[in-house]
Amino acid sequence: MPLKIYLAGKLVDEADAKISVFDHGFLYGDGVFEGIRVYGGKAFLLDEHITRLYESALAIRLEIPLSKSEMTDAVNQTIAANDIGEGYVRLIVSRGAGTLGLDIRRTSDPQVIVIADTITLYPPEMYRDGLKVITASTIRNHAAALSPRIKSLNYLNNILAKIEATDSGCIEALMLNAQGEVAECTGDNIFIVKNGILKTPPPEAGILEGITRAAVIGLAKQAGLTVEESAMVRHDIFVADECFLTGTAAEVIPVVSLDGRTIGDGKPGPVTKDLLERFQELKSGR
Ligand code: PXG
């Protein structure tokens, strides 16, 4: 069945869902987006994603032509129109069509697009056995150049690192910041467990403040764990007891090696497994 896409305030057939080649989202990556999971027909942590979308837009001086509650309705309508039970929503706001120049004053009509589709999940053995990850030579965007806190339509920084991952037979790559500290992976945040303490790089390390990251920090605190957001380097991962990634697509996924160094005993650890279980409960609304 062809999808119904939310575009210009209406649900249209995917074959008719087209935007201008003069849209600055296409010409310059000038826009913002969100990726949201649908569980049991409901968009998961939708308010958090909407909040981040509007903050990203504010940071790039993009005025979204819908209120937050209209945006929430647009997402829910699109999920319902496509009868998505378990799936994925891509919410995009682009600058709109303009002249062939960077000036945002020469653009008009920012486009709001909502796609709701099924999702291809990572194979179950990756959750059972854990991932092998490499460090990319491509560093994460410097926050003073393009803040990683903005979920913008320009993902080339992450794409270049992802190419390094796939070239090495990995599905994720670790990205460092300009100081050589651990930032995040190409589409996931990173956590380690050391001596029973859960650690993850702080926003100042130059990361996207993941919605899944925040949810997992909340679950860990509920479980009585100490959570530290502090700078870390690759060595901290080499000597960690456990490591895992969080993200909308991956949810919570164990990491068992970095750059050929086995982490802990090379198997998904107990804290990771417990948090994975707690996350499954959270998403199923228990
Ligand atoms: N870091 C980066 C750079 C990301 O792009 C995350 C961390 C995790 O954040 P969330 O809020 O998802 O926990 C992301 C999220 C896709 C896709 O289609 C990418 C993301 C999310 C959803 C879909 O590639 N990245």
Side-chain angles (χ1 to χ4, degrees):
M1 262 256 296
L3 294 176
K4 292 280 186 194
I5 311 290
Y6 180 96
L7 174 68
K10 291 193 296 279
L11 286 160
V12 299
D13 285 330
E14 63 176 89
D16 302 321
K18 294 180 176 149
I19 62 156
S20 167
V21 294
F22 293 100
D23 193 299
H24 280 207
F26 174 66
L27 287 176
Y28 300 117
D30 185 355
V32 294
F33 79 104
E34 282 294 324
I36 309 164
R37 283 293 280 273
V38 180
Y39 299 121
K42 227 175 141 278
F44 182 60
L45 303 175
L46 181 55
D47 288 349
E48 286 83 348
H49 283 283
I50 299 272
T51 299
R52 188 171 66 185
L53 180 78
Y54 279 74
E55 288 182 0
S56 291
L58 185 62
I60 68 162
R61 301 183 60 167
L62 170 59
E63 211 166 300
I64 299 180
L66 265 58
S67 69
K68 286 186 187 174
S69 77
E70 287 168 336
M71 188 66 83
T72 301
D73 289 346
V75 170
N76 290 330
Q77 260 182 47
T78 312
I79 292 168
N82 292 284
D83 201 18
I84 303 293
E86 306 299 306
Y88 176 76
V89 170
R90 171 62 56 92
L91 178 48
I92 304 137
V93 186
S94 74
R95 185 77 67 180
T99 53
L100 294 175
L102 301 179
D103 194 342
I104 63 168
R105 293 169 306 178
R106 293 178 188 277
T107 62
S108 55
D109 296 328
Q111 295 293 311
V112 176
I113 299 163
V114 187
I115 305 168
D117 203 352
T118 50
I119 184 171
T120 316
L121 301 173
Y122 292 128
E125 56 270 21
M126 287 189 182
Y127 294 87
R128 192 192 57 214
D129 303 334
L131 300 180
K132 293 183 158 83
V133 171
I134 55 130
T135 305
S137 64
T138 306
I139 63 163
R140 192 76 176 93
N141 280 334
H142 195 289
L146 175 60
S147 174
R149 295 171 74 180
I150 302 168
K151 200 162 168 68
S152 89
L153 288 182
N154 194 320
Y155 250 57
L156 269 177
N157 179 223
N158 312 62
I159 289 166
L160 292 176
K162 179 83 171 189
I163 291 169
E164 295 185 52
T166 53
D167 280 353
S168 310
C170 298
I171 69 155
E172 260 295 12
L174 176 67
M175 300 183 78
L176 307 177
N177 64 22
Q179 286 76 47
E181 297 160 351
V182 171
E184 60 182 336
C185 290
T186 69
D188 296 296
N189 293 111
I190 190 160
F191 287 78
I192 58 171
V193 180
K194 182 70 176 176
N195 300 329
I197 296 173
L198 187 64
K199 301 185 182 189
T200 193
E204 309 84 75
I207 61 167
L208 182 77
E209 290 160 281
I211 309 278
T212 320
R213 173 185 180 276
V216 165
I217 289 173
L219 292 173
K221 287 181 176 166
Q222 272 176 26
L225 281 171
T226 303
V227 184
E228 280 178 12
E229 292 181 59
S230 53
M232 64 170 83
V233 292
R234 228 160 47 115
H235 182 84
D236 295 306
I237 301 179
F238 294 152
V239 302
D241 300 324
E242 301 181 31
C243 179
F244 63 87
L245 310 181
T246 63
T248 292
E251 301 179 338
V252 176
I253 197 159
V255 173
V256 292
S257 89
L258 176 64
D259 302 322
R261 278 82 155 177
T262 300
I263 298 168
D265 65 359
K267 294 196 213 53
V271 175
T272 304
K273 284 190 196 159
D274 178 59
L275 289 170
L276 215 154
E277 211 164 284
R278 285 172 190 271
F279 188 81
Q280 295 305 317
E281 282 171 21
L282 177 70
K283 78 183 209 200
S284 60
R286 267 176 282 155

